[in-house]
Amino acid sequence: AKRKRMGCAVYDVGFDAEAINQGRLSLTGELRQAVEENQFVLYYQPRLDLAGEAITGVEALVRWQHPVRGFVPPDQFIPFAEQTGSIREITQWVTDRAFEQCARWRSAGLAIDVSINLSARDLLGRELPQRFGELLARHGAAPQWFLLEITESAIVDDPVRALETVTRLHEMGFRMSIDDFGTGYSSLSQLKRLPVAELKIDKSFVMDMASDPDDMTIVRSVIDLAHNMGLSVVAEGVETEEVRGLLYKMGCDYLQGYHICKPLPAESLEPWLAGAGVQRSMTTKET
Ligand code: C2E
Ligand code: MG
Ligand code: MG
Ligand code: MG
């Protein structure tokens, strides 16, 4: 009986492992299909420039419109895509779309910058800068219109290779940004060597800063650190008027969060931008 139970246990474990593997296999296949069949959608979240009281940029955020599962948020497939390697195709798709969209906005006279999220894995290959160069040419886009967001973990994983890729992208004219700042394990000496233009304070510190003195201290310190290093600083996850006021007093440069605007598809963003009075360099508003 004992042997039988053991056998049964072994069978259970084997079965579970197989079920998990099949789940992974099907998700891998589904992701590949998603890329081929264009099942992704790009949303854009505005960022507010506090000094000019103007919207000067948006962050591109990918969503998966799955034929059966429906709307899948990035936290549910990006980590998996990073493990399986399909993140490279997703980054390619996102960048292609974002360059095209930004070029379209620019030729319509909208002075909007676009931030694009890169994964650690994107920085490991050597082909990224060249691919980005080809995409810029294809859409007639200028690298100065874009900020490329990388995380601290991307630097920690392989500092030498990350520095190489980031330096190359910087030389091409892209601005680099450190996303989710404060949640990774990068050292200041690693940070100092990277040609980055801005730090984005992770939303976990920003969301409750009005009621949590520790969060408030962290946010203030990161703003000061960024400015002392000659970098701009963005607070993400701004959900209330109160937090917006605190960040304004602390001299934060840019705000992003539901209090400003949630991420929107391009066709909803455009009327929102018009309402927010975004500068149109080639048209004049009559009042
Ligand atoms: P992230 O780059 O830090 O993006 C900010 C996330 O915070 C977004 O979640 C955004 O919708 C959300 N957010 C914005 N304002 C607020 C707020 O006021 N409160 C709260 N609670 N959340 C807010 P989203 O779109 O679900 O994306 C999650 C993460 O997935 C992103 O975090 C990014 O790391 C990753 N991701 C999204 N798009 C891409 C992409 O195209 N490529 C890669 N590699 N990663 C992406
Ligand atoms: Mg980001
Ligand atoms: Mg991120
Ligand atoms: Mg973040």
Side-chain angles (χ1 to χ4, degrees), residues 41-48 54-61 97-98 100-106 108 110-115 255-258 260-280 285:
V41 191
L42 261 198
Y43 275 46
Y44 299 90
Q45 186 177 36
R47 57 150 72 184
L48 177 72
I55 304 295
T56 50
V58 295
E59 177 176 5
L61 296 158
R97 277 287 99 83
E100 180 185 41
Q101 184 59 258
C102 188
R104 199 175 293 155
W105 283 329
R106 291 275 174 163
L110 278 174
I112 288 287
D113 294 336
V114 178
S115 298
L255 306 189
Q256 206 181 318
Y258 299 157
I260 315 298
C261 185
K262 62 180 193 202
L264 297 170
E267 61 275 18
S268 319
L269 181 75
E270 284 157 18
W272 187 90
L273 288 175
V278 170
Q279 254 184 318
R280 275 190 184 263
K285 250 195 209 151

Side-chain angles (χ1 to χ4, degrees), residues 149 179-180 200-203 236:
E149 299 189 359
D179 203 0
D180 306 339
K200 292 188 83 169
I201 311 173
D202 191 67
K203 57 178 179 287
E236 58 175 34

Side-chain angles (χ1 to χ4, degrees), residues 33-214:
Q33 199 174 357
V35 174
E36 279 164 15
E37 294 181 4
N38 230 334
Q39 291 170 7
F40 297 110
V41 191
L42 261 198
Y43 275 46
Y44 299 90
Q45 186 177 36
R47 57 150 72 184
L48 177 72
D49 176 344
L50 269 179
E53 284 290 321
I55 304 295
T56 50
V58 295
E59 177 176 5
L61 296 158
V62 71
R63 278 90 181 86
W64 184 4
Q65 209 74 64
H66 192 285
V68 180
R69 296 176 212 248
F71 195 83
V72 187
D75 286 334
Q76 282 175 32
F77 68 90
I78 293 285
F80 186 81
E82 282 168 350
Q83 283 171 32
T84 60
S86 52
I87 189 68
R88 292 193 184 185
E89 281 90 69
I90 295 174
T91 299
Q92 174 84 2
W93 183 87
V94 166
T95 309
D96 186 43
R97 277 287 99 83
F99 284 7
E100 180 185 41
Q101 184 59 258
C102 188
R104 199 175 293 155
W105 283 329
R106 291 275 174 163
S107 59
L110 278 174
I112 288 287
D113 294 336
V114 178
S115 298
I116 297 169
N117 290 281
L118 301 184
S119 290
R121 191 139 177 178
D122 290 317
L123 298 181
L124 296 183
R126 291 183 193 280
E127 73 288 356
L128 189 85
Q130 195 200 327
R131 278 201 277 125
F132 277 25
E134 288 162 6
L135 290 176
L136 286 176
R138 182 187 301 172
H139 298 297
Q144 290 76 15
W145 301 343
F146 304 97
L147 283 118
L148 305 179
E149 299 189 359
I150 60 172
T151 57
E152 290 172 89
S153 63
I155 305 155
V156 175
D157 284 357
D158 189 343
V160 175
R161 184 61 71 79
L163 178 65
E164 216 176 283
T165 309
V166 168
T167 303
R168 183 78 198 92
L169 290 167
H170 169 74
E171 285 166 357
M172 290 172 73
F174 291 103
R175 276 169 295 156
M176 307 301 299
S177 171
I178 308 282
D179 203 0
D180 306 339
F181 187 75
T183 60
Y185 298 94
S186 66
S187 66
L188 290 178
S189 64
Q190 283 173 330
L191 197 63
K192 199 182 74 179
R193 258 180 272 138
L194 288 172
V196 299
E198 77 174 18
L199 301 182
K200 292 188 83 169
I201 311 173
D202 191 67
K203 57 178 179 287
S204 63
F205 304 117
V206 175
M207 274 158 52
D208 303 320
M209 64 180 276
S211 57
D212 186 326
D214 292 338

